[in-house]
Amino acid sequence: MKIVYYVHLVSVILFLLHYLVKTGMLLANSPALEKYTRATRIVEMVISLAFLGTGGYMLIELPEINTLMIIKLGMVFASIPMAIVGFKKKKKLLAAISLLLIIGAYGMAEMGKAKREKGKDTASSNGVEVYKAKCSVCHGDDGKAMLMNSPDLSLSPMDFNQARVIIMEGKGTMPAFMDQMTHEQVDAVAKYVQTLKK
């Protein structure tokens, strides 16, 4: 999951830079725009596929889709047809709005990341509280919900160390939480998971 995240981040940054250059050329009525567009067509397709493919994969891996994510996705998907029409028909306003939507979506992603990091720093190390905040969405309060293909934790043969590794690294549809929890929180949740067993 971490490699996918970094590929996504790099492709988003390259995508933004590429469209910043193209939009700048369009707004400046640069005759070099056509040549630049032809020269970068394949690169643009590869970057776009990497951006959308990794984004789609990470979206599938999320335990829940919050309002911020829905707004961000709406901005990205609204920007695509605007960019296509804007550059094909030389509509400067559409191209500029498209770029602003992509930049806004990236900014929202960074805001969400900053919020998660802040939550990670201030979150309680109490296993029950952290479990309810991070894990109960799929596993349920009692560990038996089995949503998103999650196992019934009350029947799990995992010991403390195995639970700890899975919490940190993820498994199957479960994302890795190493970037969202402190080591103390991971230990506390792994201990709490042991108490859910029958």
Side-chain angles (χ1 to χ4, degrees):
M1 183 72 165
K2 211 153 178 74
I3 291 171
V4 174
Y5 168 76
Y6 287 120
V7 171
H8 182 70
L9 182 63
V10 169
S11 62
V12 167
I13 291 168
L14 291 173
F15 186 85
L16 277 171
L17 291 173
H18 173 67
Y19 270 92
L20 187 62
V21 169
K22 276 183 77 169
T23 305
M25 289 176 146
L26 179 63
L27 294 176
N29 295 318
S30 173
L33 176 60
E34 293 296 326
K35 186 176 180 182
Y36 178 80
T37 300
R38 278 194 306 274
T40 60
R41 184 166 285 145
I42 292 174
V43 173
E44 181 179 332
M45 286 191 306
V46 170
I47 292 169
S48 299
L49 285 173
F51 168 36
L52 294 172
T54 54
Y57 176 81
M58 291 189 328
L59 185 64
I60 291 167
E61 293 292 311
L62 286 176
E64 67 176 330
I65 297 176
N66 60 27
T67 306
L68 187 68
M69 180 61 71
I70 292 168
I71 294 168
K72 188 175 91 169
L73 287 171
M75 291 170 77
V76 169
F77 287 116
S79 72
I80 293 169
M82 283 186 190
I84 291 169
V85 173
F87 286 105
K88 283 207 184 274
K89 304 272 186 186
K90 305 282 191 253
K91 301 286 185 187
K92 295 177 182 180
L93 183 61
L94 281 179
I97 291 171
S98 174
L99 180 65
L100 290 175
L101 286 171
I102 292 289
I103 291 170
Y106 179 73
M108 290 180 86
E110 289 300 309
M111 278 179 15
K113 182 179 172 188
K115 187 176 176 183
R116 284 191 303 276
E117 287 298 316
K118 184 178 179 187
K120 178 180 166 184
D121 293 339
T122 60
S124 167
S125 291
N126 180 313
V128 178
E129 289 176 27
V130 178
Y131 175 88
K132 285 186 177 181
K134 304 278 187 183
C135 311
S136 66
V137 171
C138 294
H139 292 287
D141 288 344
D142 59 0
K144 299 178 184 180
M146 297 192 299
L147 300 172
M148 301 287 291
N149 295 322
S150 64
D152 183 340
L153 296 179
S154 70
L155 303 174
S156 175
M158 287 186 301
D159 63 18
F160 168 80
N161 289 323
Q162 292 168 322
R164 193 175 184 287
V165 169
I166 290 173
I167 293 165
M168 288 181 61
E169 297 177 3
K171 182 177 180 182
T173 58
M174 178 176 156
F177 284 95
M178 71 175 91
D179 292 336
Q180 298 179 38
M181 293 185 194
T182 64
H183 290 292
E184 293 80 17
Q185 290 171 328
V186 170
D187 289 348
V189 171
K191 284 177 189 170
Y192 177 68
V193 166
Q194 302 307 304
T195 69
L196 297 174
K197 295 179 185 180
K198 289 181 178 178

mmCIF file of all heavy atoms in Angstrom, residues 155-198:
data_model
loop_
_atom_site.group_PDB
_atom_site.id
_atom_site.type_symbol
_atom_site.label_atom_id
_atom_site.label_comp_id
_atom_site.label_asym_id
_atom_site.label_seq_id
_atom_site.Cartn_x
_atom_site.Cartn_y
_atom_site.Cartn_z
ATOM 1 N N LEU A 155 -13.138 -15.064 16.910
ATOM 2 C CA LEU A 155 -12.724 -16.433 16.575
ATOM 3 C C LEU A 155 -11.289 -16.491 16.060
ATOM 4 O O LEU A 155 -10.823 -17.552 15.644
ATOM 5 C CB LEU A 155 -13.660 -17.019 15.509
ATOM 6 C CG LEU A 155 -15.148 -17.067 15.849
ATOM 7 C CD1 LEU A 155 -15.954 -17.529 14.653
ATOM 8 C CD2 LEU A 155 -15.390 -17.957 17.058
ATOM 9 N N SER A 156 -10.613 -15.365 16.068
ATOM 10 C CA SER A 156 -9.272 -15.283 15.484
ATOM 11 C C SER A 156 -8.222 -16.042 16.298
ATOM 12 O O SER A 156 -8.150 -15.909 17.518
ATOM 13 C CB SER A 156 -8.852 -13.812 15.387
ATOM 14 O OG SER A 156 -7.526 -13.723 14.925
ATOM 15 N N PRO A 157 -7.379 -16.828 15.621
ATOM 16 C CA PRO A 157 -6.300 -17.532 16.314
ATOM 17 C C PRO A 157 -5.047 -16.668 16.505
ATOM 18 O O PRO A 157 -4.049 -17.129 17.057
ATOM 19 C CB PRO A 157 -5.999 -18.711 15.379
ATOM 20 C CG PRO A 157 -6.317 -18.183 14.015
ATOM 21 C CD PRO A 157 -7.470 -17.233 14.206
ATOM 22 N N MET A 158 -5.097 -15.399 16.063
ATOM 23 C CA MET A 158 -3.917 -14.530 16.158
ATOM 24 C C MET A 158 -3.497 -14.270 17.595
ATOM 25 O O MET A 158 -4.351 -14.031 18.445
ATOM 26 C CB MET A 158 -4.208 -13.152 15.538
ATOM 27 C CG MET A 158 -4.299 -13.087 14.072
ATOM 28 S SD MET A 158 -4.475 -11.357 13.543
ATOM 29 C CE MET A 158 -5.956 -10.857 14.382
ATOM 30 N N ASP A 159 -2.188 -14.293 17.803
ATOM 31 C CA ASP A 159 -1.693 -13.876 19.109
ATOM 32 C C ASP A 159 -1.383 -12.368 19.046
ATOM 33 O O ASP A 159 -1.584 -11.730 18.016
ATOM 34 C CB ASP A 159 -0.462 -14.696 19.529
ATOM 35 C CG ASP A 159 0.746 -14.508 18.607
ATOM 36 O OD1 ASP A 159 0.803 -13.514 17.837
ATOM 37 O OD2 ASP A 159 1.652 -15.356 18.646
ATOM 38 N N PHE A 160 -0.878 -11.824 20.135
ATOM 39 C CA PHE A 160 -0.591 -10.390 20.231
ATOM 40 C C PHE A 160 0.343 -9.924 19.111
ATOM 41 O O PHE A 160 0.078 -8.930 18.441
ATOM 42 C CB PHE A 160 0.016 -10.076 21.608
ATOM 43 C CG PHE A 160 0.594 -8.699 21.704
ATOM 44 C CD1 PHE A 160 -0.223 -7.595 21.913
ATOM 45 C CD2 PHE A 160 1.965 -8.484 21.578
ATOM 46 C CE1 PHE A 160 0.303 -6.313 21.996
ATOM 47 C CE2 PHE A 160 2.507 -7.216 21.657
ATOM 48 C CZ PHE A 160 1.671 -6.131 21.874
ATOM 49 N N ASN A 161 1.449 -10.655 18.897
ATOM 50 C CA ASN A 161 2.433 -10.234 17.900
ATOM 51 C C ASN A 161 1.874 -10.289 16.479
ATOM 52 O O ASN A 161 2.152 -9.399 15.668
ATOM 53 C CB ASN A 161 3.707 -11.076 18.003
ATOM 54 C CG ASN A 161 4.495 -10.742 19.252
ATOM 55 O OD1 ASN A 161 4.561 -9.583 19.665
ATOM 56 N ND2 ASN A 161 5.077 -11.749 19.879
ATOM 57 N N GLN A 162 1.105 -11.319 16.171
ATOM 58 C CA GLN A 162 0.502 -11.416 14.840
ATOM 59 C C GLN A 162 -0.490 -10.271 14.614
ATOM 60 O O GLN A 162 -0.525 -9.665 13.547
ATOM 61 C CB GLN A 162 -0.206 -12.762 14.669
ATOM 62 C CG GLN A 162 0.761 -13.944 14.627
ATOM 63 C CD GLN A 162 0.029 -15.273 14.758
ATOM 64 O OE1 GLN A 162 -0.936 -15.413 15.501
ATOM 65 N NE2 GLN A 162 0.518 -16.267 14.023
ATOM 66 N N ALA A 163 -1.289 -9.985 15.626
ATOM 67 C CA ALA A 163 -2.257 -8.885 15.526
ATOM 68 C C ALA A 163 -1.525 -7.562 15.318
ATOM 69 O O ALA A 163 -1.932 -6.731 14.494
ATOM 70 C CB ALA A 163 -3.121 -8.822 16.781
ATOM 71 N N ARG A 164 -0.442 -7.382 16.035
ATOM 72 C CA ARG A 164 0.348 -6.150 15.931
ATOM 73 C C ARG A 164 0.877 -5.946 14.507
ATOM 74 O O ARG A 164 0.799 -4.854 13.952
ATOM 75 C CB ARG A 164 1.506 -6.239 16.932
ATOM 76 C CG ARG A 164 2.212 -4.953 17.164
ATOM 77 C CD ARG A 164 3.268 -5.124 18.269
ATOM 78 N NE ARG A 164 3.853 -3.840 18.525
ATOM 79 C CZ ARG A 164 4.693 -3.225 17.704
ATOM 80 N NH1 ARG A 164 5.052 -3.781 16.571
ATOM 81 N NH2 ARG A 164 5.177 -2.035 18.012
ATOM 82 N N VAL A 165 1.407 -7.014 13.912
ATOM 83 C CA VAL A 165 1.949 -6.937 12.550
ATOM 84 C C VAL A 165 0.843 -6.586 11.554
ATOM 85 O O VAL A 165 1.018 -5.725 10.683
ATOM 86 C CB VAL A 165 2.652 -8.261 12.157
ATOM 87 C CG1 VAL A 165 2.974 -8.299 10.665
ATOM 88 C CG2 VAL A 165 3.921 -8.451 12.973
ATOM 89 N N ILE A 166 -0.312 -7.231 11.684
ATOM 90 C CA ILE A 166 -1.410 -6.970 10.749
ATOM 91 C C ILE A 166 -1.932 -5.543 10.909
ATOM 92 O O ILE A 166 -2.239 -4.875 9.926
ATOM 93 C CB ILE A 166 -2.533 -8.013 10.920
ATOM 94 C CG1 ILE A 166 -2.032 -9.369 10.405
ATOM 95 C CG2 ILE A 166 -3.796 -7.591 10.181
ATOM 96 C CD1 ILE A 166 -2.964 -10.525 10.656
ATOM 97 N N ILE A 167 -2.019 -5.057 12.138
ATOM 98 C CA ILE A 167 -2.463 -3.676 12.364
ATOM 99 C C ILE A 167 -1.495 -2.711 11.693
ATOM 100 O O ILE A 167 -1.909 -1.758 11.031
ATOM 101 C CB ILE A 167 -2.584 -3.365 13.875
ATOM 102 C CG1 ILE A 167 -3.732 -4.181 14.487
ATOM 103 C CG2 ILE A 167 -2.800 -1.877 14.111
ATOM 104 C CD1 ILE A 167 -3.720 -4.228 16.005
ATOM 105 N N MET A 168 -0.208 -2.959 11.822
ATOM 106 C CA MET A 168 0.790 -2.045 11.245
ATOM 107 C C MET A 168 0.878 -2.158 9.726
ATOM 108 O O MET A 168 0.945 -1.145 9.033
ATOM 109 C CB MET A 168 2.161 -2.312 11.863
ATOM 110 C CG MET A 168 2.257 -1.838 13.300
ATOM 111 S SD MET A 168 3.877 -2.112 14.016
ATOM 112 C CE MET A 168 4.909 -1.136 12.975
ATOM 113 N N GLU A 169 0.867 -3.394 9.200
ATOM 114 C CA GLU A 169 1.137 -3.588 7.774
ATOM 115 C C GLU A 169 -0.102 -3.811 6.924
ATOM 116 O O GLU A 169 -0.033 -3.752 5.702
ATOM 117 C CB GLU A 169 2.089 -4.775 7.600
ATOM 118 C CG GLU A 169 3.437 -4.527 8.249
ATOM 119 C CD GLU A 169 4.376 -5.712 8.150
ATOM 120 O OE1 GLU A 169 4.014 -6.729 7.520
ATOM 121 O OE2 GLU A 169 5.480 -5.619 8.717
ATOM 122 N N GLY A 170 -1.243 -4.111 7.562
ATOM 123 C CA GLY A 170 -2.462 -4.398 6.814
ATOM 124 C C GLY A 170 -2.449 -5.816 6.278
ATOM 125 O O GLY A 170 -1.428 -6.499 6.296
ATOM 126 N N LYS A 171 -3.610 -6.258 5.793
ATOM 127 C CA LYS A 171 -3.712 -7.595 5.205
ATOM 128 C C LYS A 171 -5.016 -7.664 4.421
ATOM 129 O O LYS A 171 -6.064 -7.268 4.912
ATOM 130 C CB LYS A 171 -3.704 -8.666 6.298
ATOM 131 C CG LYS A 171 -3.757 -10.089 5.762
ATOM 132 C CD LYS A 171 -3.674 -11.106 6.884
ATOM 133 C CE LYS A 171 -3.720 -12.507 6.320
ATOM 134 N NZ LYS A 171 -3.681 -13.511 7.374
ATOM 135 N N GLY A 172 -4.948 -8.177 3.192
ATOM 136 C CA GLY A 172 -6.139 -8.260 2.357
ATOM 137 C C GLY A 172 -6.704 -6.870 2.101
ATOM 138 O O GLY A 172 -6.004 -5.979 1.642
ATOM 139 N N THR A 173 -7.976 -6.678 2.441
ATOM 140 C CA THR A 173 -8.600 -5.365 2.224
ATOM 141 C C THR A 173 -8.322 -4.386 3.364
ATOM 142 O O THR A 173 -8.664 -3.214 3.266
ATOM 143 C CB THR A 173 -10.132 -5.508 2.059
ATOM 144 O OG1 THR A 173 -10.662 -6.137 3.209
ATOM 145 C CG2 THR A 173 -10.479 -6.297 0.811
ATOM 146 N N MET A 174 -7.715 -4.886 4.425
ATOM 147 C CA MET A 174 -7.420 -4.008 5.568
ATOM 148 C C MET A 174 -6.179 -3.169 5.278
ATOM 149 O O MET A 174 -5.122 -3.707 4.956
ATOM 150 C CB MET A 174 -7.187 -4.844 6.827
ATOM 151 C CG MET A 174 -6.829 -4.009 8.037
ATOM 152 S SD MET A 174 -6.676 -5.040 9.500
ATOM 153 C CE MET A 174 -5.609 -4.016 10.494
ATOM 154 N N PRO A 175 -6.293 -1.841 5.392
ATOM 155 C CA PRO A 175 -5.123 -0.998 5.136
ATOM 156 C C PRO A 175 -4.123 -1.051 6.291
ATOM 157 O O PRO A 175 -4.450 -1.465 7.400
ATOM 158 C CB PRO A 175 -5.734 0.409 5.028
ATOM 159 C CG PRO A 175 -6.963 0.350 5.873
ATOM 160 C CD PRO A 175 -7.489 -1.060 5.745
ATOM 161 N N ALA A 176 -2.912 -0.644 5.996
ATOM 162 C CA ALA A 176 -1.881 -0.542 7.032
ATOM 163 C C ALA A 176 -2.154 0.695 7.884
ATOM 164 O O ALA A 176 -2.534 1.737 7.369
ATOM 165 C CB ALA A 176 -0.507 -0.435 6.384
ATOM 166 N N PHE A 177 -1.961 0.559 9.191
ATOM 167 C CA PHE A 177 -2.193 1.675 10.102
ATOM 168 C C PHE A 177 -0.900 2.218 10.699
ATOM 169 O O PHE A 177 -0.938 3.017 11.613
ATOM 170 C CB PHE A 177 -3.152 1.254 11.229
ATOM 171 C CG PHE A 177 -4.587 1.174 10.792
ATOM 172 C CD1 PHE A 177 -5.133 -0.025 10.379
ATOM 173 C CD2 PHE A 177 -5.381 2.309 10.770
ATOM 174 C CE1 PHE A 177 -6.450 -0.099 9.960
ATOM 175 C CE2 PHE A 177 -6.697 2.250 10.356
ATOM 176 C CZ PHE A 177 -7.234 1.042 9.947
ATOM 177 N N MET A 178 0.254 1.798 10.156
ATOM 178 C CA MET A 178 1.528 2.245 10.734
ATOM 179 C C MET A 178 1.711 3.750 10.657
ATOM 180 O O MET A 178 2.406 4.331 11.471
ATOM 181 C CB MET A 178 2.704 1.508 10.101
ATOM 182 C CG MET A 178 3.004 1.870 8.682
ATOM 183 S SD MET A 178 4.488 1.043 8.071
ATOM 184 C CE MET A 178 3.788 -0.429 7.382
ATOM 185 N N ASP A 179 1.056 4.397 9.668
ATOM 186 C CA ASP A 179 1.169 5.848 9.542
ATOM 187 C C ASP A 179 0.055 6.583 10.273
ATOM 188 O O ASP A 179 0.034 7.804 10.288
ATOM 189 C CB ASP A 179 1.157 6.254 8.060
ATOM 190 C CG ASP A 179 2.401 5.803 7.330
ATOM 191 O OD1 ASP A 179 3.444 5.606 7.992
ATOM 192 O OD2 ASP A 179 2.342 5.640 6.102
ATOM 193 N N GLN A 180 -0.897 5.843 10.834
ATOM 194 C CA GLN A 180 -2.036 6.476 11.494
ATOM 195 C C GLN A 180 -2.062 6.254 12.997
ATOM 196 O O GLN A 180 -2.862 6.865 13.691
ATOM 197 C CB GLN A 180 -3.342 5.938 10.886
ATOM 198 C CG GLN A 180 -3.486 6.243 9.420
ATOM 199 C CD GLN A 180 -4.775 5.683 8.859
ATOM 200 O OE1 GLN A 180 -5.795 5.702 9.529
ATOM 201 N NE2 GLN A 180 -4.742 5.187 7.643
ATOM 202 N N MET A 181 -1.206 5.358 13.480
ATOM 203 C CA MET A 181 -1.166 5.061 14.918
ATOM 204 C C MET A 181 0.264 5.103 15.416
ATOM 205 O O MET A 181 1.193 4.776 14.684
ATOM 206 C CB MET A 181 -1.714 3.653 15.204
ATOM 207 C CG MET A 181 -3.166 3.434 14.943
ATOM 208 S SD MET A 181 -3.603 1.746 15.481
ATOM 209 C CE MET A 181 -5.191 1.555 14.722
ATOM 210 N N THR A 182 0.422 5.465 16.680
ATOM 211 C CA THR A 182 1.736 5.376 17.320
ATOM 212 C C THR A 182 1.980 3.910 17.679
ATOM 213 O O THR A 182 1.054 3.095 17.659
ATOM 214 C CB THR A 182 1.773 6.223 18.606
ATOM 215 O OG1 THR A 182 0.837 5.670 19.539
ATOM 216 C CG2 THR A 182 1.439 7.687 18.324
ATOM 217 N N HIS A 183 3.213 3.586 18.015
ATOM 218 C CA HIS A 183 3.531 2.207 18.432
ATOM 219 C C HIS A 183 2.745 1.830 19.689
ATOM 220 O O HIS A 183 2.291 0.690 19.832
ATOM 221 C CB HIS A 183 5.041 2.036 18.671
ATOM 222 C CG HIS A 183 5.841 2.079 17.409
ATOM 223 N ND1 HIS A 183 5.764 1.095 16.454
ATOM 224 C CD2 HIS A 183 6.716 3.005 16.931
ATOM 225 C CE1 HIS A 183 6.559 1.393 15.445
ATOM 226 N NE2 HIS A 183 7.140 2.558 15.712
ATOM 227 N N GLU A 184 2.565 2.795 20.583
ATOM 228 C CA GLU A 184 1.795 2.538 21.807
ATOM 229 C C GLU A 184 0.345 2.211 21.471
ATOM 230 O O GLU A 184 -0.262 1.328 22.075
ATOM 231 C CB GLU A 184 1.852 3.750 22.748
ATOM 232 C CG GLU A 184 3.223 4.038 23.342
ATOM 233 C CD GLU A 184 4.149 4.784 22.368
ATOM 234 O OE1 GLU A 184 3.671 5.357 21.364
ATOM 235 O OE2 GLU A 184 5.375 4.755 22.605
ATOM 236 N N GLN A 185 -0.215 2.927 20.502
ATOM 237 C CA GLN A 185 -1.595 2.670 20.099
ATOM 238 C C GLN A 185 -1.734 1.299 19.441
ATOM 239 O O GLN A 185 -2.696 0.579 19.696
ATOM 240 C CB GLN A 185 -2.088 3.773 19.151
ATOM 241 C CG GLN A 185 -2.281 5.103 19.846
ATOM 242 C CD GLN A 185 -2.548 6.228 18.872
ATOM 243 O OE1 GLN A 185 -2.064 6.225 17.745
ATOM 244 N NE2 GLN A 185 -3.329 7.203 19.304
ATOM 245 N N VAL A 186 -0.782 0.947 18.600
ATOM 246 C CA VAL A 186 -0.808 -0.377 17.957
ATOM 247 C C VAL A 186 -0.779 -1.465 19.022
ATOM 248 O O VAL A 186 -1.568 -2.416 18.981
ATOM 249 C CB VAL A 186 0.372 -0.552 16.968
ATOM 250 C CG1 VAL A 186 0.480 -1.993 16.496
ATOM 251 C CG2 VAL A 186 0.221 0.389 15.779
ATOM 252 N N ASP A 187 0.129 -1.324 20.003
ATOM 253 C CA ASP A 187 0.213 -2.312 21.090
ATOM 254 C C ASP A 187 -1.092 -2.381 21.868
ATOM 255 O O ASP A 187 -1.578 -3.471 22.206
ATOM 256 C CB ASP A 187 1.356 -1.963 22.046
ATOM 257 C CG ASP A 187 2.727 -2.190 21.435
ATOM 258 O OD1 ASP A 187 2.799 -2.829 20.351
ATOM 259 O OD2 ASP A 187 3.724 -1.734 22.019
ATOM 260 N N ALA A 188 -1.679 -1.218 22.155
ATOM 261 C CA ALA A 188 -2.915 -1.177 22.932
ATOM 262 C C ALA A 188 -4.057 -1.849 22.176
ATOM 263 O O ALA A 188 -4.845 -2.602 22.764
ATOM 264 C CB ALA A 188 -3.280 0.274 23.267
ATOM 265 N N VAL A 189 -4.149 -1.609 20.869
ATOM 266 C CA VAL A 189 -5.210 -2.244 20.073
ATOM 267 C C VAL A 189 -4.970 -3.743 19.975
ATOM 268 O O VAL A 189 -5.910 -4.538 20.103
ATOM 269 C CB VAL A 189 -5.311 -1.599 18.665
ATOM 270 C CG1 VAL A 189 -6.252 -2.395 17.771
ATOM 271 C CG2 VAL A 189 -5.775 -0.155 18.778
ATOM 272 N N ALA A 190 -3.720 -4.154 19.742
ATOM 273 C CA ALA A 190 -3.407 -5.588 19.660
ATOM 274 C C ALA A 190 -3.778 -6.297 20.968
ATOM 275 O O ALA A 190 -4.313 -7.411 20.958
ATOM 276 C CB ALA A 190 -1.938 -5.790 19.330
ATOM 277 N N LYS A 191 -3.518 -5.649 22.097
ATOM 278 C CA LYS A 191 -3.910 -6.227 23.399
ATOM 279 C C LYS A 191 -5.434 -6.309 23.514
ATOM 280 O O LYS A 191 -5.981 -7.302 23.977
ATOM 281 C CB LYS A 191 -3.340 -5.395 24.546
ATOM 282 C CG LYS A 191 -1.866 -5.601 24.779
ATOM 283 C CD LYS A 191 -1.362 -4.695 25.894
ATOM 284 C CE LYS A 191 0.158 -4.748 25.956
ATOM 285 N NZ LYS A 191 0.707 -3.717 26.840
ATOM 286 N N TYR A 192 -6.114 -5.231 23.092
ATOM 287 C CA TYR A 192 -7.565 -5.210 23.183
ATOM 288 C C TYR A 192 -8.192 -6.282 22.309
ATOM 289 O O TYR A 192 -9.159 -6.930 22.696
ATOM 290 C CB TYR A 192 -8.105 -3.827 22.807
ATOM 291 C CG TYR A 192 -9.606 -3.774 22.818
ATOM 292 C CD1 TYR A 192 -10.318 -3.881 24.024
ATOM 293 C CD2 TYR A 192 -10.340 -3.655 21.636
ATOM 294 C CE1 TYR A 192 -11.712 -3.865 24.040
ATOM 295 C CE2 TYR A 192 -11.722 -3.640 21.652
ATOM 296 C CZ TYR A 192 -12.395 -3.741 22.846
ATOM 297 O OH TYR A 192 -13.777 -3.743 22.874
ATOM 298 N N VAL A 193 -7.632 -6.489 21.109
ATOM 299 C CA VAL A 193 -8.159 -7.524 20.201
ATOM 300 C C VAL A 193 -8.117 -8.894 20.863
ATOM 301 O O VAL A 193 -9.032 -9.709 20.674
ATOM 302 C CB VAL A 193 -7.360 -7.508 18.868
ATOM 303 C CG1 VAL A 193 -7.625 -8.763 18.044
ATOM 304 C CG2 VAL A 193 -7.704 -6.270 18.051
ATOM 305 N N GLN A 194 -7.100 -9.129 21.690
ATOM 306 C CA GLN A 194 -7.027 -10.429 22.387
ATOM 307 C C GLN A 194 -8.195 -10.617 23.344
ATOM 308 O O GLN A 194 -8.630 -11.747 23.583
ATOM 309 C CB GLN A 194 -5.698 -10.541 23.165
ATOM 310 C CG GLN A 194 -4.437 -10.389 22.317
ATOM 311 C CD GLN A 194 -4.402 -11.322 21.116
ATOM 312 O OE1 GLN A 194 -4.521 -12.536 21.254
ATOM 313 N NE2 GLN A 194 -4.269 -10.751 19.925
ATOM 314 N N THR A 195 -8.723 -9.527 23.872
ATOM 315 C CA THR A 195 -9.851 -9.629 24.829
ATOM 316 C C THR A 195 -11.171 -9.911 24.132
ATOM 317 O O THR A 195 -12.146 -10.261 24.799
ATOM 318 C CB THR A 195 -10.002 -8.321 25.664
ATOM 319 O OG1 THR A 195 -10.459 -7.257 24.812
ATOM 320 C CG2 THR A 195 -8.694 -7.939 26.332
ATOM 321 N N LEU A 196 -11.238 -9.760 22.805
ATOM 322 C CA LEU A 196 -12.476 -10.004 22.071
ATOM 323 C C LEU A 196 -12.718 -11.491 21.796
ATOM 324 O O LEU A 196 -13.804 -11.881 21.407
ATOM 325 C CB LEU A 196 -12.448 -9.253 20.717
ATOM 326 C CG LEU A 196 -12.377 -7.726 20.808
ATOM 327 C CD1 LEU A 196 -12.205 -7.142 19.405
ATOM 328 C CD2 LEU A 196 -13.611 -7.159 21.476
ATOM 329 N N LYS A 197 -11.671 -12.299 22.016
ATOM 330 C CA LYS A 197 -11.807 -13.735 21.733
ATOM 331 C C LYS A 197 -12.714 -14.414 22.737
ATOM 332 O O LYS A 197 -12.718 -14.071 23.922
ATOM 333 C CB LYS A 197 -10.422 -14.388 21.753
ATOM 334 C CG LYS A 197 -9.516 -13.883 20.659
ATOM 335 C CD LYS A 197 -8.174 -14.549 20.741
ATOM 336 C CE LYS A 197 -7.226 -13.951 19.716
ATOM 337 N NZ LYS A 197 -5.899 -14.556 19.754
ATOM 338 N N LYS A 198 -13.461 -15.382 22.241
ATOM 339 C CA LYS A 198 -14.382 -16.133 23.121
ATOM 340 C C LYS A 198 -13.604 -17.039 24.051
ATOM 341 O O LYS A 198 -12.599 -17.585 23.704
ATOM 342 C CB LYS A 198 -15.328 -16.989 22.275
ATOM 343 C CG LYS A 198 -16.346 -16.145 21.542
ATOM 344 C CD LYS A 198 -17.266 -17.028 20.753
ATOM 345 C CE LYS A 198 -18.336 -16.218 20.053
ATOM 346 N NZ LYS A 198 -19.220 -17.016 19.232
#
